[in-house]
Amino acid sequence: MKRLALILLSFVLVAFGSIAGPQTAAQASDWQQIKIPPLPSFHPQEPKRVELPNGMVIFLQEDHELPLIDGVARIRGGSRSEPANKVGLTQIYGEVWRTGGTKAKTGDQLDDFLEIRAARVETGDGADSTSISWSCLKEDFSDVFKVFADLLREPEFRENKVDLAQKQFFDAISRRNDEIGEIAGRESVKLAYGTQNPYARVPEYKTVAAVTREDLLAWHHAHVHPNNIILGVAGDFDSAQMEAKLREAFGSWPKGPATKKDEIEFQPAKPGYYLIPKEDVNQSSIRMTQLGAQRNDPDYYAIQVFNEAFGGGFSSRLVRNIRTEKGLAYSVGGGVGTAFDHPGILRLSMGTKSATTVESIQALYEQIDDLTKNPITEDEIKRAKDSILNSFVFNIDTPEKVLRERLEYEFYGYPADFLEKYRAGIEKVQTDEVARVAAKYLHKDQLVVLVVGNTSEFDKPLSSLGQVTTVDITIPPPPGDKEKAAAEPASRPAASNPE
């Protein structure tokens, strides 16, 4: 923080000097004489870890700054595990888990109960887990925690709330092709992972309609067991007393079957050009993708520095050369994506006007080629490291944020000190390592290039770059609409058609 404050002070001094009037060369460079001390040693406040006999893992993080107590339970099992014919199940589950209430209170009654106390209890879903959390004043903890515990163990999933969630889902499906950025993001994941990959599948009317209340109950009974739960609590409490409270609440809960590890195949699309025509826009959204890496890869820290220098903030190469100098993009960036337990996605993204679509793709290619002739320099690496390390503090500037990081590492089986090692890992990255990861992961001839835009306004046909595959994003009609089903395709595979 001290280092960041000094840097901010230098900007203030420069700004003040420009207001004050003309300066001599010596005066103008005075701010550069400010000595920035090395970052202090990093030792975040570690939460207390407790494991109950039934396998539930609990983390307790005291924070007495405010009279609040927050908690979150993360349960193994998410959308990547749901059946292919019921994609959307866990999203409906994450919604109705809360809105459906408990046996004692409906979801609407819980809303009133919590609103009076300025508290919340929320549920949600993800690719590999579902979650339930609470936030309340310290004085209301007992009442709010009872709601949390009841929802965790005895949700009702009322039928009317299942119907409402499905109707809301139908509305979202009907609008999913409205925004060019949303289309590009969704379809680029399919191209990077494979259309049937669990990380890339999207709910359809048919799969959402197939979800029943019984499915939600079955999911809950299959996954919500203490040995599948990691619970984190942060706030104004005494750890010994909180541990006793949680042992009393969950200690007698019998262990259940462990969630099975998902076996997932990744089948990226063939390198080449993929097009989604959208005639009602005057811009193009471009995505270049291929498989990335995992966070436990030895290259992780060098990848982070490369990403920041090549396609990160406003000082990155892509922004400087494509956005600022050439004026080709209103947004550009990207890098090698990393995920905790599966490959991330290497993604270079750009938004440009229709009339500069092909020119912009070529400009991105030039930047990739230039990495061989002009590798990331020492100065660029220094700026990238400074940017990463000076923003790093904002990810862990409260005990609760440290707790959430610790929960992540526990969930994915990473070392407890992964967070502490992060800064040292970034600082140790050398110039040759950055050049090596750039050469290892970024290959122009292996990229899948997706363009969403108005083809009639392109500067050149996309086919001038190579063979083009048109991607069909037609939304299959709801089940029972036989007339529509006969007129429209029932699935949405990429079809190979020349532009």
Side-chain angles (χ1 to χ4, degrees):
M1 288 296 287
K2 189 182 295 182
R3 183 179 184 182
L4 179 61
L6 286 170
I7 292 172
L8 291 174
L9 175 61
S10 70
F11 283 121
V12 172
L13 290 173
V14 172
F16 179 77
S18 64
I19 295 170
Q23 299 172 309
T24 66
Q27 289 173 326
S29 63
D30 281 350
W31 67 272
Q32 294 176 331
Q33 308 307 314
I34 297 174
K35 293 182 179 180
I36 300 175
L39 291 170
S41 59
F42 175 56
H43 299 294
Q45 177 183 324
E46 282 293 328
K48 178 182 180 182
R49 184 185 186 279
V50 178
E51 184 167 351
L52 303 184
N54 58 16
M56 179 183 282
V57 176
I58 298 170
F59 287 93
L60 303 175
Q61 183 77 295
E62 291 188 35
D63 180 8
H64 302 287
E65 184 176 359
L66 295 171
L68 302 172
I69 299 179
D70 297 337
V72 59
R74 187 167 179 179
I75 300 101
R76 297 185 187 279
S79 61
R80 68 185 186 184
S81 304
E82 64 192 4
N85 64 341
K86 295 191 177 185
V87 175
L89 187 156
T90 56
Q91 286 181 261
I92 295 174
Y93 171 85
E95 174 77 14
V96 183
W97 189 1
R98 170 63 178 81
T99 61
T102 64
K103 294 185 183 299
K105 284 185 171 68
T106 66
D108 295 336
Q109 288 172 328
L110 290 180
D111 290 341
D112 294 338
F113 179 86
L114 295 167
E115 187 176 353
I116 292 171
R117 293 161 176 79
R120 63 176 176 80
V121 174
E122 302 293 343
T123 55
D125 67 283
D128 51 26
S129 63
T130 57
S131 64
I132 176 170
S133 62
W134 83 83
S135 179
C136 66
L137 291 167
K138 178 181 181 178
E139 64 190 45
D140 295 321
F141 170 70
S142 294
D143 290 338
V144 175
F145 180 75
K146 186 178 186 306
V147 172
F148 167 85
D150 287 348
L151 265 177
L152 176 64
R153 300 188 63 175
E154 296 294 336
E156 185 61 14
F157 299 110
R158 286 178 167 80
E159 194 75 59
N160 64 322
K161 296 300 184 181
V162 177
D163 292 340
L164 178 60
Q166 287 174 316
K167 289 174 182 175
Q168 291 173 332
F169 225 137
F170 286 174
D171 183 54
I173 291 172
S174 72
R175 292 183 287 104
R176 76 178 180 206
N177 289 338
D178 291 353
E179 297 295 330
I180 188 171
E182 182 182 346
I183 296 170
R186 180 186 72 232
E187 298 301 322
S188 65
V189 173
K190 292 183 180 181
L191 292 170
Y193 283 158
T195 56
Q196 299 306 312
N197 185 280
Y199 291 107
R201 294 181 310 204
V202 294
E204 303 289 0
Y205 290 119
K206 182 178 180 180
T207 64
V208 171
V211 177
T212 65
R213 177 176 181 269
E214 287 68 32
D215 291 325
L216 306 187
L217 287 167
W219 180 276
H220 194 84
H221 293 150
H223 293 84
V224 183
H225 303 291
N227 48 307
N228 289 332
I229 296 175
I230 301 172
L231 172 65
V233 186
D236 188 12
F237 57 81
D238 176 81
S239 291
Q241 294 176 2
M242 181 60 73
E243 180 181 342
K245 173 83 172 177
L246 297 177
R247 285 185 180 277
E248 180 185 1
F250 302 124
S252 61
W253 190 0
K255 183 183 291 190
T259 301
K260 294 180 181 178
K261 183 178 180 181
D262 297 299
E263 298 296 331
I264 297 175
E265 292 185 7
F266 295 87
Q267 298 178 324
K270 292 181 180 179
Y273 300 95
Y274 294 78
L275 175 68
I276 299 176
K278 189 166 175 58
E279 307 304 328
D280 60 344
V281 297
N282 60 3
Q283 58 188 297
S284 292
S285 189
I286 301 165
R287 300 288 189 278
M288 296 183 175
T289 66
Q290 66 184 75
L291 286 182
Q294 291 190 188
R295 293 196 186 188
N296 56 5
D297 192 298
D299 293 332
Y300 175 64
Y301 300 111
I303 287 172
Q304 295 295 96
V305 175
F306 167 75
N307 288 350
E308 184 66 26
F310 185 65
F314 281 102
S315 64
S316 69
R317 279 198 181 185
L318 294 184
V319 173
R320 288 200 324 268
N321 296 333
I322 294 180
R323 186 179 187 269
T324 304
E325 292 183 13
K326 294 188 176 183
L328 287 174
Y330 52 84
S331 66
V332 63
V336 182
T338 56
F340 276 107
D341 66 347
H342 65 278
I345 298 176
L346 183 154
R347 183 187 284 113
L348 302 180
S349 305
M350 178 188 285
T352 187
K353 59 186 178 183
S354 303
T356 54
T357 300
V358 173
E359 183 183 359
S360 296
I361 293 172
Q362 292 171 324
L364 271 173
Y365 281 157
E366 288 173 7
Q367 293 305 307
I368 296 171
D369 289 338
D370 194 51
L371 286 169
T372 303
K373 294 176 285 186
N374 300 295
I376 303 294
T377 66
E378 199 168 316
D379 284 344
E380 288 176 300
I381 289 174
K382 183 180 183 305
R383 283 199 301 270
K385 286 183 180 182
D386 285 345
S387 176
I388 293 170
L389 295 175
N390 287 328
S391 61
F392 173 64
V393 66
F394 298 109
N395 298 325
I396 41 86
D397 57 353
T398 66
E400 184 178 4
K401 289 182 181 179
V402 174
L403 172 66
R404 287 184 178 269
E405 288 284 336
R406 188 67 184 82
L407 293 177
E408 289 277 303
Y409 306 144
E410 180 76 25
F411 187 88
Y412 293 108
Y414 277 59
D417 61 350
F418 188 80
L419 179 62
E420 291 186 65
K421 288 181 176 178
Y422 181 84
R423 197 186 86 179
I426 295 295
E427 289 175 334
K428 290 177 183 176
V429 173
Q430 299 297 313
T431 307
D432 60 334
E433 293 178 271
V434 174
R436 181 178 55 77
V437 298
K440 178 178 178 180
Y441 291 96
L442 191 53
H443 303 281
K444 188 172 68 174
D445 60 343
Q446 294 179 17
L447 290 171
V448 171
V449 182
L450 173 67
V451 180
V452 186
N454 189 341
T455 57
S456 65
E457 297 181 0
F458 286 2
D459 46 340
K460 295 178 182 178
L462 189 59
S463 56
S464 65
L465 297 175
Q467 185 174 351
V468 176
T469 299
T470 301
V471 179
D472 181 10
I473 60 169
T474 304
I475 302 172
D481 194 341
K482 293 181 181 178
E483 203 171 62
K484 251 185 175 179
E488 297 183 17
S491 60
R492 309 194 303 106
S496 191
N497 299 309
E499 184 189 12

